[in-house]
Amino acid sequence: MIGIYNYTVLFTLFGTITGLISITEAMSGNLEIALLGLLVCGFFDMFDGTIARTKKNRTEFEIQYGIQLDSLSDVVCFGALPTIIAFQITKPLGLWQSLTILYMVASISRLAYFNVEEAMRREKENGRRKTYTGLPVTTAAIIFPILYLFSFWIPNFFPVFYLTGVLITACFHISKIKVPHLEKKGLIICLIIGIVLLSLISFLLFLA
């Protein structure tokens, strides 16, 4: 059986499965559950690389396999899932709803660019990178739940607001801005924000 199946890829695979389940929930109109799934995908992605690096003497094949597996998982979790959530939210906008597809285009473009850039970087230098070009697609795990909270403050204007946020985020994904690689403090802050969002959306789901 081809592929690598050990603890170094478990979090990536768990994230993919969570993303797929969340997509089915989003298509069924269960947006809060889908957004909770998006947050959980973010948690898995936050730690999968750290877990993989605990394995000593990884071969170059194992490293490259992990990078490609993570990227393909990101297509599901942070490309397809946010797009389908946005598609559902913007239904009242009619044809304007189709603009959400641009998010998927931007996210896979960003991932493909990262893969090529990372491969070229690894030929010249070792170690972890210090910056990313373009906003990483994994930020969708925080951005979209935050946008969704506005549905309770501006319900009538919300579909337009959400679509605008989606398109702006898509532009940042394919922009040339330099985003610093998160160190320990940054990861802790993101984790705290994620936990707060998870609690808020869980509470809203309970009220529903």
Side-chain angles (χ1 to χ4, degrees):
M1 185 166 63
I2 63 172
I4 295 172
Y5 301 93
N6 55 41
Y7 78 91
T8 65
V9 300
L10 279 181
F11 264 42
T12 303
L13 295 176
F14 287 155
T16 306
I17 293 169
T18 302
L20 288 170
I21 293 172
S22 301
I23 285 173
T24 63
E25 293 296 330
M27 293 176 68
S28 299
N30 301 320
L31 297 178
E32 288 86 3
I33 295 177
L35 286 160
L36 286 175
L38 179 59
L39 281 163
V40 173
C41 288
F43 288 137
F44 281 131
D45 184 81
M46 186 179 295
F47 297 109
D48 62 356
T50 301
I51 290 173
R53 284 188 290 273
T54 62
K55 187 175 186 296
K56 303 300 182 182
N57 302 318
R58 282 193 300 163
T59 66
E60 184 62 23
F61 181 86
E62 288 177 312
I63 293 172
Q64 290 301 320
Y65 180 85
I67 291 172
Q68 295 302 321
L69 187 68
D70 183 69
S71 186
L72 291 170
S73 178
D74 287 349
V75 172
V76 175
C77 299
F78 309 112
L81 175 55
T83 301
I84 293 171
I85 292 173
F87 192 78
Q88 293 289 82
I89 290 174
T90 57
K91 274 184 178 180
L93 301 181
L95 288 176
W96 292 102
Q97 177 192 36
S98 61
L99 291 177
T100 57
I101 296 172
L102 295 176
Y103 183 82
M104 186 67 190
V105 173
S107 62
I108 61 174
S109 296
R110 166 68 179 76
L111 287 166
Y113 184 89
F114 170 80
N115 287 353
V116 175
E117 187 184 46
E118 179 66 10
M120 295 175 69
R121 183 191 73 84
R122 290 181 67 86
E123 291 179 357
K124 300 176 182 178
E125 59 184 78
N126 295 319
R128 300 175 67 179
R129 59 194 302 142
K130 295 181 179 180
T131 61
Y132 297 102
T133 302
L135 185 70
V137 297
T138 51
T139 56
I142 289 179
I143 292 173
F144 289 103
I146 289 176
L147 290 179
Y148 185 75
L149 294 177
F150 282 85
S151 64
F152 298 91
W153 298 317
I154 49 171
N156 296 328
F157 185 67
F158 180 63
V160 174
F161 172 83
Y162 197 88
L163 178 61
T164 302
V166 167
L167 295 178
I168 290 173
T169 305
C171 289
F172 276 110
H173 285 328
I174 56 176
S175 69
K176 291 186 177 181
I177 62 170
K178 295 294 182 180
V179 179
H181 180 86
L182 290 179
E183 299 299 332
K184 188 175 182 179
K185 286 185 178 179
L187 290 174
I188 292 174
I189 291 172
C190 287
L191 183 61
I192 293 172
I193 293 173
I195 291 172
V196 171
L197 289 171
L198 192 69
S199 301
L200 285 172
I201 294 176
S202 296
F203 179 69
L204 295 174
L205 183 61
F206 175 77
L207 289 179

